[in-house]
């Protein structure tokens, strides 16, 4: 995801604390998220209608290991750190996603995810995320591709 899109995302959310509906204005930003690259405009519109933005202050916890999971996140601005029980911490940057595992297997969160600076995320609730994945194979393939890459990286670092 380009700095431009990340900056635009951050500017669009300025002055709007808490959770905000996204809507069509966000479609150009979502189109730059690697997870959504192969989605049609119609599907991007659907994603934007289901998603919200949420901000996190530097140092705050976004996801806690062991908690039940009900939300999927895409990082739109800032950086976050994934801390797993084993292996090296993993840095997430604008365009990366997290929080998918607990939603796929109905198990507790597998890792802590911490905001390294001021972070802007896009969030989708569990039922909307599952519906999107079922209806959009391109999205499912991208999720699986990243999961495979993360598994390989985790095996190397353990
Ligand atoms: P979930 O288990 O729902 O919540 C914690 C998230 O951290 C997890 O989903 C993944 O999105 C992410 N995560 C867990 N382990 C790793 C890893 N080894 N590398 C990158 N991201 C991870």
């Amino acid at each position: 995801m380009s700095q431009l899109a990340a900056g635009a995302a951050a500017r669009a959310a300025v002055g709007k604390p808490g959770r905000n509906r996204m809507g069509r204005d966000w479609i150009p930003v979502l189109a730059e998220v690697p997870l959504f690259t192969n989605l049609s405009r119609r599907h991007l519109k659907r994603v934007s209608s289901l998603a919200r933005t949420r901000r996190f202050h530097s140092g705050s916890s976004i996801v806690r290991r062991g908690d039940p999971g009900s939300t999927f996140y895409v990082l739109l601005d800032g950086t976050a750190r994934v801390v797993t029980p084993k292996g090296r911490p993993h840095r997430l940057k604008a365009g990366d996603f997290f929080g998918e595992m607990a939603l796929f297997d109905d198990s507790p969160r597998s890792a802590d995810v911490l905001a390294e600076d001021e972070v802007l995320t896009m969030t989708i609730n569990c039922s909307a995320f599952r519906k999107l994945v079922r209806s959009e194979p391109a999205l499912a393939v991208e999720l699986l591709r990243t999961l495979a890459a993360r598994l390989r990286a985790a095996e190397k670092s353990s």
Side-chain angles (χ1 to χ4, degrees), residues 65-77:
R65 190 166 96 86
D67 279 359
S70 59
T71 307
F72 172 71
Y73 299 83
V74 177
L75 196 55
L76 296 176
D77 196 30

Side-chain angles (χ1 to χ4, degrees), residues 63 82 84 90 92 97-103 108-113 150 154:
V63 160
V82 179
T84 56
H90 178 88
L92 302 172
F97 65 80
F98 59 96
E100 76 294 345
M101 287 172 63
L103 307 192
R109 295 294 194 190
S110 60
D112 288 304
V113 183
R150 287 180 183 172

Side-chain angles (χ1 to χ4, degrees), residues 73-134:
Y73 299 83
V74 177
L75 196 55
L76 296 176
D77 196 30
T79 55
R81 191 168 68 247
V82 179
V83 183
T84 56
K86 289 180 189 168
R88 270 185 249 132
H90 178 88
R91 174 162 292 159
L92 302 172
K93 58 184 188 332
D96 290 339
F97 65 80
F98 59 96
E100 76 294 345
M101 287 172 63
L103 307 192
F104 277 137
D105 67 357
D106 268 326
S107 295
R109 295 294 194 190
S110 60
D112 288 304
V113 183
L114 308 160
E116 288 196 318
D117 43 31
E118 294 298 302
V119 156
L120 175 67
T121 63
M122 175 197 121
T123 63
I124 299 183
N125 73 37
C126 182
S127 62
F129 173 74
R130 286 180 177 165
K131 272 187 208 150
L132 269 177
V133 173
R134 281 198 195 101

